[in-house]
Amino acid sequence: MNKELPKAYEPQNYEDAIYKRWEESGFFNPDVCVEKGGTDANAKPFTIVLPPPNVTGTLHIGHAMMLAIEDLMIRYHRMKGDKTLWLPGTDHAAIATQTKVEKLLIEKGIKDPKKELGREKFLDEVNKFAQASHDTIVNQCKKMGSSLDWSREAFTLDEPRNLAVRTVFKKMYDDGLIYRGYRIVNWCPRCHSTLADDEVEYKEQKTKFYYFKYGPVIIGTARPETKFLDKVIVVHPDDERYKKLQGTKFEMDWIGGKIIAKVIADQASDPKFGTGAMTITPAHSFEDYELAKKYNLDVVQIIDEDGNFTDAAGDFVGKNAQASREEIVKILADKGLLERVDENYIHNLSVCYRCGTAVEPLPSKQWFIDVNKEFSIVNSKLKNIKAGQKVTLKKLMSEAVASGQIEIIPERFNKTYFSWIDNLRDWCISRQIWYGHQIPVWYHGTCQEVSEKVGPGVSENPIVSIDEPAVCPYCGNQTDGGDLHQDPDTLDTWFSSGLWTFSTLGWPEKTVDLQTFHPTSVLETGYDILFFWVARMVLMTTYTLGDIPFEKVYMHGLVRDEQGRKMSKSLGNVIDPLDSIAKYGADATRLSLLLGNTPGNDTRLSEEKIAGFRNFTNKLWNMARFIIANSKIKNQNSKLQLKIQNLTLADKWILSRLDATVKDVSENIENFQFSAAGEKLRDFTWSELADWYLEIAKIEGDKEEILQYILQTLLKLWHPFMPFVTEQIWSEMFGIDRMLMVESWPHLVIPTVVEESLNDFNTIQLIITTIRSARADNKIEPNKKIDAIISAGAKEKLLTENSAIITGLARLEKLTIETKAVKPENAVALVCGDMEIYLDLSGAVDIEKETARLTKEVEAAEKFVTVMKNKLANAEFVNNAPPAVVEKETQKLAETEQKLSKLKEQLSNLK
RNA sequence: GGGCAGUUAGCUCAGUUGGUAGAGCGUUGCGUUUACAUCGCAAAUGUCACAGGUUCAAGUCCUGUACUGCCCACCA
């Protein structure tokens, strides 16, 4: 101990070993903390479940930010003595992962992986990939210093989570909330699966917009290929142009020859858009489908699951619809039906959020969750909702937040959340992919009804069951003999992640974990998955447990590059957290993501910023190095008994500043103001402790105890932000057996927070900076010592007591302090509050420069005096403003007037 | 079309109850005194987007405008 530390902190030399020590200590696990006495058995729990990263690859800088913020909260609460659990896990991310593996297999030369490998072998490949990806992710989490309880790690697709999924599915089905229906769905022809509404993204695109003669009207469309079977024109009921046509039928020529079309009137048609007349395509548009239902029109599918024409398209059957567009336009043009083409139409193309392929709306039989259906809730711990009450899922979702039981931070996201719920349609949960939770529904082949979807010989009657059913409830027969078929579809990945807060804690078992740690305390995530995930967790938890999943939701912003662009491989502006850790250390990487931003807002990151925090890490290291080197105390106890009566002004000042910092930092962390907390801590550490107090300590000496106290407190405060360097310094002082991560969070213990000491110390600081400034202005070399005389007035005693500090920090040879001093010839006079300082520059005074400087000061003071005089002469101000404000302003005026007269006097002396 | 943010120093951003604007980086000058050049000391720079309003007093509250970004809906 107390060995000489290296001059520079090299994070690479320590980080991995420190993480290993933490992990081996078991302290990431709250049960171990209780066992070893670090946490009281009855302590209040603090829980965060890690938003499970997708096993699609590696973690990006956004994940790093998430880890930094969550680890900050977790370490803070652990040190505070809470029973703290941070539960890790990963998400199977069904479509994303399957797509990625398919792509990799194709690159390896397997042309059609699913066909060639079959379901089982293909899933083996996916699982292999997911495992590798998982290992990478776990390693990255550790590199970041995340104090996750790995003993509780979960995966959205592991067996316990699968049981939870099946159990919830069954419960929802029994409550009538899950149904199978034939509806228009978003279909991705590439992923070959349905997508939920919010999995569809919109991309602006310039495209051709065609106008065709359609019987008596002109219609416009960007997608002529869908118009094959259109035979209904819709106009607005009040549109004068088409009034006469309403309700008529007529024969006309169209793509495939003569058709009979009719005209209906409906509000859905916008007279201002295009020609005000439109045809409808019930099978390939949500809106048209609604209209078709309303007017009882045929719904004929013309484009199939591969994006090709169905046999409804006659000669075009089997051809790719989109690719046939020009051909179809040509047919119509040849018939003389093409009116004109707008080449610069801006179209909002809907695309798959995972692969970017254009989404094709088409009718399909799928599983849905009904969000508007009433059911009676069995248990409820929700405010305003009683057990047995009739509710809908929508109501549960909005009530949980509206009641204030869940608090979203920043608050403005409430509005986004509610508007999403208002517009929510039934949630399509079945996906036609292999990787994921297979739907717990079976069909019994010997039953009579035949399903086209499931295959010939398979019953249409679903058997919804947590486990494979032994008996068919429809026919009453045993199901063995291979005549039982499970629905081949899998569930939307968000179905399982919606259960995350409670499935990870062991539900459906009634576990101790579930009782202890649920509802979780904070859900921390990026605002971009508010709908995808946060809203769905609220849905699933309120429904399943009748309780909220978390008390607070804290949303962080996106990490962008230094120009505010999204980071992407194609732009080459990606900052890889692992690179950053290797180059600057995990602590610097964390700080760069924690400081200098505000909740819910995007933040810009640059390598310079990270480098800046690396510098700070090193600064802290060196401060510690200095304090440790000057400490004779061995095996220090952090609960030091300071000899209060011996404190100097500087001691009192730094201790009261430290106290204020402890208070501010704690409050800021509690209020999710992590950036503010870190900035205050940095300012204290660097600008007050390092720049002032450590320098003073060198002058005043005999500070071992107080420096130890400050350092230990500081390390604790910094630990949640930068766990590695603080832990390393701590171990340099106490050895590796005593870990900082489980030390208790500092509280306010200094009984002598003397307010006056702040003001008095500020006076000393002002005198020193004033002298330094004058030295720099007059080009006095830093190591040249000069004489100074201070005319101190009432502050003579204060200055005399601290003359050593002034002499040292202002680099003076001889300092004379008098109540009323006389300015020597050739000395420069400085005004410092109500005092004056005379510096002997040995004739080195630059008269011109001094005149300029003083003139400037006089001008500023005069301007201020004028403003203040006007203000105080204003009767309305004096009468209306609070007396304290008036008094303060009066005092300021008096001080400035005094200063002004001194400045003027000096100026005239100079001339 | 609806909604939400933002507009403050060259850059990135703070500014939490309204009381003569702050930090980091960068820039300029000087510099190695018993931690630290990944450092120290000092300096410069702002009609707080614009226009109204409330108030004794507005970066801060209200209304409107402009621009930027994002979200949602939708474009037949």
Side-chain angles (χ1 to χ4, degrees):
Chain A
M1 244 168 277
N2 287 3
K3 62 180 184 257
E4 183 73 18
L5 301 181
K7 262 177 107 163
Y9 174 68
E10 309 273 2
Q12 304 77 8
N13 296 343
Y14 309 104
E15 290 183 351
D16 288 345
I18 293 171
Y19 194 88
K20 199 167 162 234
R21 275 211 315 274
W22 286 335
E23 216 181 341
E24 284 168 358
S25 75
F27 286 133
F28 293 165
N29 180 339
D31 303 332
V32 174
C33 284
V34 171
E35 258 168 52
K36 295 196 180 175
T39 305
D40 190 84
N42 301 314
K44 98 176 194 280
F46 181 85
T47 322
I48 297 179
V49 289
L50 179 75
N54 293 345
V55 288
T56 42
T58 57
L59 299 189
H60 53 67
I61 199 77
H63 291 115
M65 184 177 194
M66 165 184 89
L67 292 168
I69 295 172
E70 291 176 22
D71 196 42
L72 163 59
M73 285 190 270
I74 287 291
R75 286 182 186 271
Y76 167 75
H77 280 274
R78 189 184 291 122
M79 291 174 83
K80 250 186 72 184
D82 293 342
K83 198 184 282 179
T84 304
L85 171 63
W86 190 17
L87 198 151
T90 43
D91 193 319
H92 69 287
I95 295 184
T97 310
Q98 171 158 334
T99 305
K100 179 114 191 190
V101 173
E102 267 181 281
K103 220 167 122 187
L104 289 173
L105 290 172
I106 290 168
E107 278 169 20
K108 270 201 211 161
I110 303 174
K111 270 184 196 159
D112 190 342
K114 277 189 289 187
K115 227 175 229 170
E116 289 178 39
L117 297 177
R119 189 163 184 147
E120 210 169 307
K121 277 192 181 160
F122 180 79
L123 283 178
D124 282 348
E125 290 293 326
V126 180
N127 286 330
K128 248 194 282 174
F129 174 85
Q131 184 59 44
S133 186
H134 159 270
D135 297 347
T136 310
I137 288 166
V138 168
N139 178 50
Q140 283 176 306
C141 289
K142 292 181 177 180
K143 283 277 181 189
M144 280 294 291
S146 318
S147 56
L148 287 155
D149 180 5
W150 296 105
S151 72
R152 285 176 164 87
E153 193 189 346
F155 179 46
T156 52
L157 194 55
D158 61 16
E159 200 33 54
R161 262 47 66 179
N162 184 257
L163 175 64
V165 163
R166 280 156 23 221
T167 309
V168 171
F169 188 98
K170 166 86 170 135
K171 180 173 155 65
M172 280 189 155
Y173 182 80
D174 292 345
D175 278 339
L177 298 176
I178 284 183
Y179 66 92
R180 194 160 175 241
Y182 186 75
R183 291 236 322 250
I184 300 280
V185 294
N186 302 296
W187 182 268
C188 174
R190 204 226 58 81
C191 296
H192 229 262
S193 177
T194 54
L195 296 171
D197 290 341
D198 46 2
E199 288 176 318
V200 177
E201 280 180 357
Y202 294 92
K203 222 166 55 182
E204 272 202 351
Q205 211 186 40
K206 204 164 86 176
T207 184
K208 287 182 182 173
F209 194 75
Y210 305 87
Y211 289 90
F212 297 109
K213 283 187 189 131
Y214 190 88
V217 299
I218 306 284
I219 58 155
T221 180
R223 300 197 59 196
E225 68 275 14
T226 65
K227 300 272 151 216
F228 248 102
L229 302 182
D230 288 13
K231 47 189 178 187
V232 176
I233 298 170
V234 183
V235 297
H236 194 273
D238 302 333
D239 194 332
E240 290 300 331
R241 292 171 294 180
Y242 306 118
K243 263 252 147 89
K244 279 184 204 156
L245 291 174
Q246 287 179 24
T248 62
K249 277 189 180 181
F250 46 85
E251 192 187 49
M252 50 164 280
D253 196 16
W254 193 233
I255 305 169
K258 298 277 185 226
I259 60 166
I260 296 192
K262 66 175 175 181
V263 182
I264 62 174
D266 192 278
Q267 308 276 350
S269 185
D270 177 2
K272 288 191 285 286
F273 189 87
T275 59
M278 66 175 184
T279 63
I280 57 174
T281 313
H284 299 285
S285 152
F286 285 89
E287 295 72 33
D288 293 4
Y289 183 75
E290 291 304 313
L291 279 173
K293 274 209 304 208
K294 187 168 168 186
Y295 295 100
N296 201 20
L297 307 172
D298 293 342
V299 178
V300 182
Q301 188 172 344
I302 190 152
I303 297 169
D304 70 11
E305 281 75 1
D306 297 316
N308 298 334
F309 282 116
T310 64
D311 45 17
D315 297 343
F316 280 91
V317 63
K319 283 192 179 175
N320 183 272
Q322 217 166 315
S324 307
R325 182 176 299 170
E326 284 305 319
E327 205 178 326
I328 288 162
V329 170
K330 190 171 177 299
I331 291 174
L332 289 166
D334 290 347
K335 292 181 185 225
L337 297 175
L338 179 61
E339 176 78 10
R340 64 195 162 91
V341 181
D342 178 356
E343 302 273 348
N344 295 314
Y345 181 71
I346 303 294
H347 181 72
N348 242 343
L349 185 69
S350 46
V351 298
C352 170
Y353 83 130
R354 289 297 188 194
C355 68
T357 307
V359 166
E360 193 66 65
L362 49 81
S364 177
K365 196 162 213 176
Q366 300 291 342
W367 290 97
F368 294 90
I369 291 180
D370 193 329
V371 292
N372 292 307
K373 182 161 180 176
E374 284 206 326
F375 67 101
S376 60
I377 187 162
V378 181
N379 301 312
S380 175
K381 289 180 192 161
L382 300 170
K383 286 182 192 167
N384 311 334
I385 290 180
K386 294 191 183 77
Q389 192 179 326
K390 289 266 183 203
V391 290
T392 63
L393 292 174
K394 265 193 186 181
K395 185 172 167 70
L396 288 178
M397 289 167 89
S398 73
E399 199 56 45
V401 175
S403 68
Q405 228 169 331
I406 296 175
E407 187 190 349
I408 302 180
I409 301 156
E411 199 198 344
R412 63 185 147 90
F413 286 111
N414 276 339
K415 217 164 175 172
T416 323
Y417 177 83
F418 289 127
S419 75
W420 184 76
I421 294 174
D422 288 343
N423 296 319
L424 190 62
R425 292 187 289 196
D426 286 0
W427 172 16
C428 175
I429 51 171
S430 46
R431 296 287 179 276
Q432 290 63 54
I433 56 171
W434 289 345
Y435 188 55
H437 297 278
Q438 198 169 346
I439 292 179
V441 173
W442 285 263
Y443 303 93
H444 191 211
T446 55
C447 283
Q448 294 129 3
E449 287 180 64
V450 170
S451 161
E452 288 171 25
K453 180 187 164 76
V454 183
V458 177
S459 165
E460 175 71 7
N461 293 332
I463 308 166
V464 178
S465 171
I466 293 174
D467 296 304
E468 190 174 295
V471 175
C472 173
Y474 297 101
C475 63
N477 294 325
Q478 295 281 315
T479 56
D480 50 49
D483 54 356
L484 196 66
H485 299 262
Q486 187 171 0
D487 193 312
D489 287 358
T490 51
L491 287 168
D492 181 1
T493 196
W494 301 105
F495 190 104
S496 56
S497 33
L499 316 178
W500 193 238
T501 55
F502 58 94
S503 68
T504 50
L505 292 171
W507 189 90
E509 304 291 324
K510 279 185 187 147
T511 60
V512 176
D513 269 8
L514 194 62
Q515 282 165 23
T516 310
F517 296 110
H518 199 278
T520 63
S521 312
V522 178
L523 187 277
E524 194 281 336
T525 190
Y527 64 74
D528 51 331
I529 54 172
L530 175 64
F531 307 138
F532 283 132
W533 192 44
V534 180
R536 287 190 170 118
M537 282 196 284
V538 177
L539 185 160
M540 288 297 196
T541 314
T542 51
Y543 168 73
T544 310
L545 304 180
D547 202 356
I548 53 170
F550 28 70
E551 283 152 8
K552 312 226 168 171
V553 178
Y554 173 83
M555 310 248 216
H556 64 247
L558 268 42
V559 183
R560 299 171 171 278
D561 76 357
E562 64 267 85
Q563 291 168 53
R565 302 172 302 180
K566 269 192 175 176
M567 288 188 186
S568 75
K569 274 181 194 158
S570 55
L571 285 172
N573 59 353
V574 175
I575 295 179
D576 183 330
L578 282 186
D579 292 346
S580 172
I581 291 168
K583 199 161 170 192
Y584 302 107
D587 291 325
T589 305
R590 290 167 64 118
L591 288 180
S592 72
L593 295 164
L594 289 168
L595 273 67
N597 55 51
T598 34
N601 291 331
D602 292 356
T603 172
R604 298 185 188 199
L605 184 66
S606 61
E607 199 165 327
E608 290 77 48
K609 191 174 172 186
I610 305 170
F613 285 110
R614 184 267 322 264
N615 296 354
F616 176 73
T617 317
N618 189 59
K619 182 78 182 180
L620 183 68
W621 175 259
N622 273 290
M623 290 167 70
R625 196 161 79 98
F626 171 72
I627 293 172
I628 292 170
N630 284 284
S631 176
K632 297 181 206 83
I633 304 164
K634 312 259 183 198
N635 289 316
Q636 298 90 341
N637 185 326
S638 62
K639 291 187 186 91
L640 290 164
Q641 292 301 311
L642 295 167
K643 299 179 198 99
I644 304 298
Q645 64 276 21
N646 294 338
L647 297 179
T648 66
L649 173 66
D651 298 339
K652 287 180 194 162
W653 168 76
I654 197 69
L655 289 174
S656 53
R657 287 296 307 132
L658 179 62
D659 249 15
T661 306
V662 170
K663 186 164 173 280
D664 287 349
V665 170
S666 309
E667 278 176 8
N668 281 327
I669 293 178
E670 300 273 0
N671 295 324
F672 300 89
Q673 310 274 358
F674 309 119
S675 180
E679 281 172 31
K680 276 177 195 157
L681 201 41
R682 181 191 54 193
D683 292 346
F684 170 78
T685 309
W686 206 321
S687 312
E688 299 189 306
L689 182 57
D691 290 348
W692 287 96
Y693 190 73
L694 291 190
E695 294 309 315
I696 290 169
K698 290 174 192 170
I699 295 164
E700 290 187 340
D702 192 26
K703 301 278 189 208
E704 287 101 15
E705 255 188 322
I706 193 166
L707 284 175
Q708 273 295 328
Y709 172 78
I710 292 170
L711 177 60
Q712 290 174 26
T713 306
L714 196 62
L715 290 173
K716 291 176 185 177
L717 292 174
W718 272 121
H719 183 72
F721 294 84
M722 37 193 330
F724 288 109
V725 67
T726 50
E727 188 73 76
Q728 184 58 37
I729 296 169
W730 194 263
S731 73
E732 300 288 355
M733 302 196 295
F734 300 109
I736 57 170
D737 294 328
R738 183 172 157 188
M739 282 192 197
L740 177 57
M741 73 167 277
V742 286
E743 285 289 323
S744 58
W745 186 254
H747 38 269
L748 312 175
V749 289
I750 308 301
T752 55
V753 178
V754 188
E755 274 300 319
E756 307 91 80
S757 71
L758 292 175
N759 285 331
D760 285 349
F761 191 78
N762 289 342
T763 302
I764 306 293
Q765 282 180 303
L766 185 61
I767 286 173
I768 293 165
T769 35
T770 306
I771 297 174
R772 282 172 175 173
S773 176
R775 290 178 59 121
D777 282 349
N778 289 288
K779 305 262 187 277
I780 309 296
E781 290 150 42
N783 50 4
K784 189 184 174 198
K785 296 190 173 179
I786 56 172
D787 291 351
I789 300 166
I790 303 179
S791 186
K795 298 210 171 85
E796 191 198 337
K797 184 165 173 279
L798 171 69
L799 299 200
T800 306
E801 279 170 4
N802 291 283
S803 61
I805 296 176
I806 300 171
T807 307
L809 297 187
R811 301 209 58 73
L812 301 178
E813 180 65 38
K814 186 170 160 233
L815 172 63
T816 312
I817 300 161
E818 291 168 16
T819 313
K820 179 114 186 81
V822 182
K823 177 181 166 294
E825 286 291 311
N826 293 330
V828 163
L830 312 164
V831 178
C832 186
D834 52 358
M835 296 172 287
E836 277 187 281
I837 305 167
Y838 310 123
L839 286 187
D840 176 11
L841 301 181
S842 323
V845 188
D846 186 330
I847 303 280
E848 220 171 291
K849 266 201 161 173
E850 273 300 291
T851 310
R853 186 190 62 107
L854 284 169
T855 309
K856 209 173 154 189
E857 274 200 65
V858 166
E859 279 168 7
E862 273 177 340
K863 198 176 146 198
F864 184 67
V865 166
T866 313
V867 170
M868 290 311 251
K869 273 188 174 164
N870 287 341
K871 201 172 186 180
L872 288 162
N874 185 342
E876 307 225 54
F877 170 70
V878 179
N879 294 333
N880 293 320
V885 173
V886 178
E887 199 191 326
K888 208 172 134 198
E889 303 293 89
T890 312
Q891 203 183 334
K892 273 197 245 171
L893 175 62
E895 280 170 12
T896 315
E897 275 182 320
Q898 198 182 357
K899 184 179 166 188
L900 182 60
S901 75
K902 279 182 183 161
L903 286 168
K904 278 181 171 165
E905 191 189 321
Q906 287 175 13
L907 193 58
S908 65
N909 284 347
L910 219 52
K911 282 169 185 167

